[in-house]
Amino acid sequence: MKKVKQNDWEDRTAINRPTTNSHGPEEEERRHWDYHYDEVGVAPGTLVIDDDASPTELTLIDYSENSAMRQKLRSPEEAAEHLDTQSISWIDLQGLGNEDVLNRLGDVFHLHPLVLEDVVNVPQRPKIEYYNDQVVIITRMVMMAPTAKDEDPHFTSEQLSFVLGQNYLLTVQEELNQDCLDPVRNRIRDNIGRIRREGADYLAYALLDAVIDAYFPVLEEYGEYIESLEDEVIFDPTRQTVQKIYRIRRELMFLRRSIWPQRNALNQLIRDGSSELISAEARVYLQDCYDHVVQVLDIVETYRELTANLMDVYLSSVSNRMNEVMKTLTVISSIFIPLTFIVGVYGMNFDTTVSPWNMPELNAYWGYPLCWAAMIAIALGLSYYFRQKGWFEDTAADRLKR
Amino acid sequence: MKKVKQNDWEDRTAINRPTTNSHGPEEEERRHWDYHYDEVGVAPGTLVIDDDASPTELTLIDYSENSAMRQKLRSPEEAAEHLDTQSISWIDLQGLGNEDVLNRLGDVFHLHPLVLEDVVNVPQRPKIEYYNDQVVIITRMVMMAPTAKDEDPHFTSEQLSFVLGQNYLLTVQEELNQDCLDPVRNRIRDNIGRIRREGADYLAYALLDAVIDAYFPVLEEYGEYIESLEDEVIFDPTRQTVQKIYRIRRELMFLRRSIWPQRNALNQLIRDGSSELISAEARVYLQDCYDHVVQVLDIVETYRELTANLMDVYLSSVSNRMNEVMKTLTVISSIFIPLTFIVGVYGMNFDTTVSPWNMPELNAYWGYPLCWAAMIAIALGLSYYFRQKGWFEDTAADRLKR
Amino acid sequence: MKKVKQNDWEDRTAINRPTTNSHGPEEEERRHWDYHYDEVGVAPGTLVIDDDASPTELTLIDYSENSAMRQKLRSPEEAAEHLDTQSISWIDLQGLGNEDVLNRLGDVFHLHPLVLEDVVNVPQRPKIEYYNDQVVIITRMVMMAPTAKDEDPHFTSEQLSFVLGQNYLLTVQEELNQDCLDPVRNRIRDNIGRIRREGADYLAYALLDAVIDAYFPVLEEYGEYIESLEDEVIFDPTRQTVQKIYRIRRELMFLRRSIWPQRNALNQLIRDGSSELISAEARVYLQDCYDHVVQVLDIVETYRELTANLMDVYLSSVSNRMNEVMKTLTVISSIFIPLTFIVGVYGMNFDTTVSPWNMPELNAYWGYPLCWAAMIAIALGLSYYFRQKGWFEDTAADRLKR
Amino acid sequence: MKKVKQNDWEDRTAINRPTTNSHGPEEEERRHWDYHYDEVGVAPGTLVIDDDASPTELTLIDYSENSAMRQKLRSPEEAAEHLDTQSISWIDLQGLGNEDVLNRLGDVFHLHPLVLEDVVNVPQRPKIEYYNDQVVIITRMVMMAPTAKDEDPHFTSEQLSFVLGQNYLLTVQEELNQDCLDPVRNRIRDNIGRIRREGADYLAYALLDAVIDAYFPVLEEYGEYIESLEDEVIFDPTRQTVQKIYRIRRELMFLRRSIWPQRNALNQLIRDGSSELISAEARVYLQDCYDHVVQVLDIVETYRELTANLMDVYLSSVSNRMNEVMKTLTVISSIFIPLTFIVGVYGMNFDTTVSPWNMPELNAYWGYPLCWAAMIAIALGLSYYFRQKGWFEDTAADRLKR
Amino acid sequence: MKKVKQNDWEDRTAINRPTTNSHGPEEEERRHWDYHYDEVGVAPGTLVIDDDASPTELTLIDYSENSAMRQKLRSPEEAAEHLDTQSISWIDLQGLGNEDVLNRLGDVFHLHPLVLEDVVNVPQRPKIEYYNDQVVIITRMVMMAPTAKDEDPHFTSEQLSFVLGQNYLLTVQEELNQDCLDPVRNRIRDNIGRIRREGADYLAYALLDAVIDAYFPVLEEYGEYIESLEDEVIFDPTRQTVQKIYRIRRELMFLRRSIWPQRNALNQLIRDGSSELISAEARVYLQDCYDHVVQVLDIVETYRELTANLMDVYLSSVSNRMNEVMKTLTVISSIFIPLTFIVGVYGMNFDTTVSPWNMPELNAYWGYPLCWAAMIAIALGLSYYFRQKGWFEDTAADRLKR
């Protein structure tokens, strides 16, 4: 067992960080949307390697209370010798691009074909499964996608699978890019907390907890976005607002879909699990992790309800705007249409010379001023009537408030 | 036991493929809609043969680890001799048009009258039932119907029933046309994977899994359609859009109705099933199959929620359009109605010679230009007022975005 | 035991058929609506005889594997001697008008006062109850009411109660008019199927199954009505459409209310029932009956969801119509209002002789044609603008599609 | 044990009847709304006496199979001697205004402080609780409030608490005014049914049943009101209609809130109750009572759904009305605006003498008639267009139907 | 054990009361919204001290049946000696600003690191957890925030954690400001009720009950606000109304989110809890406390449904208003537009001298009066038509009712 140098740890980070996610946002979105599925009738256990899949990289972290080493592995077989030792071995595979490596990994860890399939053919629904001497946990990591200015926030996600055995933990990640597990790696390296004193089950808990805790910053970003939407809906609703509400509801739906099965899986792990791979002490910690999942769900549900209510408010805002438009039209039309009729009357060409009944007003001395007086009276009367109905104030009040 | 030639397999495909579904789309739709029901009071076990039912065809595939044969059967009785052998016998009946064959099949396989009824009187609700030495599974296969250009996607479905016994599996399909089970047949023929080494329960699993996996491409097509609807709703909603949303919601409802009971049936098969016909190993595989059903349901529910939200967006789009129309009317009317009043005023025929108060403006030197100046001022003032209210920009912005 | 002649069976039908339901449709509707309730504080077991109740008629069908007889009974006491024989006795009481007969029936069958109350004070919620040596099942038969042309379909319902004992079955129907049990009577008479070889529990199953199967034609009629409503909503929505949707939703609600408790009752009968009155074999058949109830519920729920969606479509149709109306108004107003302003301008009476600035256009050689040219240009410009906005095409397209 | 005279019974009714509920309708409404709550941190068991509370009155009814007496008690201690006798003692306390009496009652009956609190600090949520030798049932009686003409129906409610012990039953009512228990008192007095032959548990059942049965007339009144609302919504919706729908939904919500916990309490009483205070026979009767509660809930839920649907119909009615208004405006405007333009054209003052192009129509021999002809043609053309669109018929049809 | 002077109790209140909540309303709102979360991957048990956190203050109340003392503690270690005595020790920590004190408290009480984390890293979801010799309860206290006039009511909340051990209770509050526990302190000091005679479990109950009871006044305030909103929606809906409804729905959602998990926690405490720390007698009291939580939830749900209904009423009010506006426009336009056309006709300049067909009306003796007569007839006819349609009355009626 060779000791790694401290800076080797840093190297690793340096190598991995630049690798960015090769999927565009649309494709990424589709991947929230649909689970992986086999071609119809394909034999179970068949691995499907995506052309875009990241190259595969294997890293071993082996630690006990007194020592810790980190080592890149060239082949899965190198991991074999570490599995049966008393020290805890964490084998982290990143990138699903190399079918050969994945198959050999399956052999080294004695993975059931269905497990290998679940781990490789991503995305799968989060779940937990017990095998003879292994516990398999499928989870989903989320992080905010980098967004251009004015773009709605959206999150990306990546499957993280755990295979927990006696004294070892295999984790499989979809991508080479940055994950949210570095703090745990640092705790092992720097011997922070009790992680070096505990078994593989505690390591699995620590990683699961990191995965769950990564949901909170994502939720916080959505929370702020919803708050900004609230203001927009109430004070300045535009046609784009409804699209924003729709998109945030869709995002929350996807978020809920990735966290909900994790709740069930964790619950199963805590309650039913009679597996001896997970100690009673680890169960206490998993309970804490479960509480966090429930909190995440709680917030997601709250956000979903808030956005549903926002939609109602938006619709009423649109109705109110239309009301304002109609009032303007009605006030102006209703005042001027009768007046236009009156001036039309005195534009008629009845021959005043034929009969004294034919428009004698036209020749009256005060005809024109009286006509104006009548029209002003009508205009004032209608204005008063509309003001009584409250149509003026509302409009004014609304404008002031914007 | 006669050995079939390899090309016999191909022949079969050649014969069956051309047979198309004889039901029109409307009738097909009705069949999603309503389950089969007996005439009131008819004795249980009575078979109802639809006039349109496909002719009945029987195929036997008999295999063990070392050999596999495929054979068309002229009568159900020919199957009898295979049932008690150690090799696995898969008897596949297609087409429910021949009551006599169906009854004789019931005798050969010792089917309970209610089982025969469920298998023949289609459609039934998917379910699972245990009989003494048989497990009966009713499922529903789906595939996309071929659609004309511009037609909304819709799916067709067909009942597939399983009767699993000791070393044999009877499957009954409604139609002669292409099913989604060929990949499984090929795996048997070409000895791919472990199917030839396993029992009839594994065969049932493989077929069930093929049936479930066939839901995914259907869902993918709906997913793409919903994405295109999203764009349509937001950028170009027409009166047809709401019909499309309505239809897709109806389709998803039917899809949900065929997959939901399969979830329950599979769950029952895995959890409660103390039947010795299904080995522990097969249960592991069925668990995988169950996971797929849950994923299908997950996607269907997501789509249902998305389309419900789309309806909201559509309604707000319609309201916004009306708002735009009203704004246009209001702006044009509100500007020109007062102006029309003014020109009406100077169209009056008050006799200017009678009194100096009677429309002296008409004889003023700058009368006409001043009148225009006043009207232009009013028009500009109102335009400014409406612009302040944001009625111009919105309209312009909306147009640019289309 | 006197043998009845075959034609006696026919007579019976002849006598009963003409008896029509004496309740009008409105009263019938109220009876869907509200359950029977006792006057406050009335002692349990008090029978309430409705004034409109049909006269009471008692019929006995007594059969064993080798013989079957049918006999009208003059009094409940005549049934007593048949109850303890080995042959199966089906006593069918129709019409709840005779309190004395009902009370004596209670004595003959040793009915618990609460059972007699449930059976007589209709309608009750469907349920199942176990007494020492009896199983009591309350169900509800439905059938379509005859409707005038253009009337919405609606169904009538009638309570059918079963008291299942050792070798006998008592059924109590509300009305004398035609029920849906004749096919079962014919199967007994003609010895079709296994009914003559089975016990009273099988008879109860056969009748229950007939009751459930009678829901399907009702549902089919509603299904067709909903399909016709779909076309109406999309292509020709009127103010009546919304009433039709409301009424069909109400009907489906009542239908659901009568079938839902039957599901629970049947489930209880199959699962919990340790009563020895129901054999294991009968339970298999009841399971089939339960499947049918679930199918009925499935269809009812589907219809309810479809009609809820239809309401959404209707509301959007109304909005679209209003949009079309507004567009027409806006296009015509917006084009002609500016033109009317222009012709108003040249209708003004400014004195052209006073100043060269006063409407020199009026005296221009090309004044009138140029004025027309300007107006036509404005009209074309606005038309082009509105066409760009898509207001013309929509309207045209909508009209074409009607 | 002094025998009461028969007319003493009548007296009692005479004394109590005039006492009316001293709470106004608004206060009453608030009491549906909010449960009683303690001041924060107050010690459990503290009694809170409302200033408006009715004076307290105690009545004893003591009966056995052979005798029955009724007696007003001056103090709770007078009841003590009856509690341990074999005869059934029903102590009925009405009015919660006297803290001293209530405390002494608690002592006499050995009530747990929390029980006394629940009984006195009204309203509490209906529930059931087991104590060592007592079963405590909290229920809620409803009755219709007397309403002025044109007022919406609303109900009042009052808490009725039961403390069931060995051979005695204590009931506590909030108010002195008329309750719905007189029929039970009469059944005891007149020895109707089996009540005198049964124990205190049967008495509790009889009273509970009376309380539940009193919900039905209330529901019937709401049912009739909803039916009248249906007609109003469809044929004559006004602005008041929506308030009525809102109020009835609120009433139904309160009704549901008082009946729902009673369902749970009764269910608990029947299923879990291993208390020996309730005999198996009484449980059969309580099951009947439970069925009635379920029926009440069924009806309440149906009404809630009906009123929710009514709201939809109302909204569509409002939209339809607006549509009608808009159609009228559009038809009249669209026909006359172009005509007004035409007459405006010939009102222009172009000088016909300057050029032959300047309005030669004015001097044409058939100018005026041709102008009319053109206008009539336009009007007819537009009318035909609008009729084609179906705008006339609808309006006409709607009017006819009103 | 030193005896405290009575006035020391008062001092304490004096010191603590002025400390006000240092968070602004917006930040407070955010804290309803999101639970506390750890930085991703942080080791479990890490304490996070908010910069704004109140300074930490420790108070001990130690009592037995015969004596009670209250003492400020300078350090957690001072509490240690009281924990093992027979007297009940209540250690109340307020303010989470001092990490060192909190860590030392964890040591003194042997708190599991996860418990310390839950207690310090606020807010957490209310829950209950069992440890070896401790029961940990996380709850949430609410109180109304002081609001400016015209501001919507909103509530603030604060986490209160309980650690119940043998003979001691540790409570941890977020803030130094006034809590709702003083009445309990007074009951201990003044020996009111049975609190001094009971154990630490009864103290925990008494405090829990005070926390729950504090929800009722908050709910009462919301109830009154909803009642005022009802009037506003029906009689005077403005654009602000919808914002108010939205905000109250959001508040109720947060209220529900803090009470709902407390229901589950309490239920768990009563049903599953086999912990010997809680006596059977205390369970009876906790059941009472649970009933109060259920009542709170009941009221919250009622309010949520009421506000959802209010939104419907608001939308219909807006529609009705628009209807009224449209009617006004339509009535005025429809009457005057035809009249304006008529006067336009007689403003045409057809040369009456050219032909007898050219506007002979202009020269008719009764031309002008007949023209007026025709116009008045038309106006009356249209008015009558609109009155028939009920457009006048509605408008008038609506105005009267405002």
Side-chain angles (χ1 to χ4, degrees), chain B residues 36-39 42-50 56 93 96-107 111-122 124 172:
Chain B
H36 173 87
Y37 63 92
D38 296 334
E39 290 292 302
V42 147
T46 307
L47 303 191
V48 178
I49 305 299
D50 191 354
T56 301
L93 181 144
L96 302 172
N98 191 329
E99 186 171 359
D100 176 51
V101 167
L102 293 165
N103 275 320
R104 279 153 57 205
L105 191 83
D107 292 342
L111 299 181
H112 192 284
L114 289 174
V115 171
L116 196 58
E117 191 186 335
D118 282 346
V119 156
V120 173
N121 297 355
V122 293
Q124 295 288 330
V172 183

Side-chain angles (χ1 to χ4, degrees), chain E residues 233-343:
Chain E
V233 165
I234 290 176
F235 296 113
D236 191 23
T238 67
R239 190 178 272 211
Q240 277 68 51
T241 313
V242 74
Q243 300 170 28
K244 288 182 189 165
I245 299 175
Y246 175 75
R247 287 205 198 100
I248 194 90
R249 289 174 83 177
R250 203 176 57 181
E251 291 278 311
L252 289 169
M253 201 190 312
F254 293 143
L255 209 51
R256 182 171 175 276
R257 212 173 77 177
S258 51
I259 194 73
W260 182 259
Q262 297 195 42
R263 193 194 88 107
N264 294 346
L266 266 170
N267 196 26
Q268 210 181 329
L269 200 59
I270 298 166
R271 312 260 177 248
D272 324 342
S274 56
S275 170
E276 56 205 18
L277 286 170
I278 297 168
S279 65
E281 178 67 10
R283 264 180 237 285
V284 171
Y285 282 96
L286 284 170
Q287 174 66 45
D288 189 60
C289 190
Y290 174 77
D291 286 347
H292 292 174
V293 171
V294 172
Q295 289 182 7
V296 169
L297 267 173
D298 236 33
I299 297 173
V300 170
E301 290 303 329
T302 303
Y303 286 178
R304 278 161 58 89
E305 196 170 336
L306 278 174
T307 50
N309 289 355
L310 268 187
M311 195 73 201
D312 282 356
V313 176
Y314 176 79
L315 284 173
S316 84
S317 283
V318 170
S319 284
N320 271 315
R321 297 234 146 179
M322 179 132 33
N323 232 336
E324 198 187 346
V325 171
M326 291 306 306
K327 274 182 200 163
T328 307
L329 175 61
T330 301
V331 165
I332 292 184
S333 297
S334 299
I335 289 177
F336 282 103
I337 282 178
L339 303 189
T340 302
F341 163 69
I342 289 175
V343 301

Side-chain angles (χ1 to χ4, degrees), chain C residues 308-320:
Chain C
N309 289 353
L310 268 187
M311 196 71 202
D312 283 354
V313 176
Y314 176 78
L315 284 173
S316 84
S317 283
V318 170
S319 283
N320 270 316

Side-chain angles (χ1 to χ4, degrees), chain A residues 187 230 291 298 326 349, chain E residues 30 35 41 127 250 326 346:
Chain A
R187 273 156 59 197
E230 268 174 34
D291 286 346
D298 236 32
M326 291 307 306
N349 294 323
Chain E
R30 294 286 308 163
Y35 293 115
K127 62 180 170 184
R250 203 176 57 181
M326 291 306 306
Y346 295 109

Side-chain angles (χ1 to χ4, degrees), chain A residues 236-263:
Chain A
D236 191 22
T238 68
R239 188 178 273 212
Q240 276 69 50
T241 313
V242 73
Q243 301 171 29
K244 288 182 187 165
I245 299 175
Y246 175 75
R247 286 204 199 103
I248 194 91
R249 289 174 84 179
R250 202 175 60 179
E251 291 278 312
L252 289 169
M253 201 191 313
F254 293 144
L255 209 51
R256 182 171 175 275
R257 212 172 77 175
S258 50
I259 194 73
W260 182 260
Q262 297 194 42
R263 193 194 90 106

Side-chain angles (χ1 to χ4, degrees), chain B residues 184-251:
Chain B
V184 179
R185 290 191 189 97
N186 294 341
R187 271 155 60 196
I188 297 174
R189 185 187 63 195
D190 303 338
N191 198 358
I192 296 169
R194 49 199 300 174
I195 195 162
R196 289 258 287 267
R197 296 192 304 272
E198 301 280 347
D201 51 355
Y202 188 90
L203 175 62
Y205 148 72
L207 295 173
L208 262 175
D209 201 46
V211 166
I212 301 300
D213 282 349
Y215 276 84
F216 282 99
V218 169
L219 282 172
E220 195 164 67
E221 200 143 334
Y222 282 115
E224 277 162 23
Y225 186 67
I226 288 173
E227 260 182 301
S228 77
L229 263 183
E230 268 175 35
D231 288 346
E232 185 174 326
V233 165
I234 290 176
F235 296 114
D236 192 23
T238 68
R239 189 178 273 213
Q240 277 69 51
T241 313
V242 72
Q243 300 171 28
K244 288 182 188 166
I245 299 175
Y246 175 75
R247 287 204 198 102
I248 194 93
R249 288 174 84 178
R250 203 174 59 180
E251 290 277 312

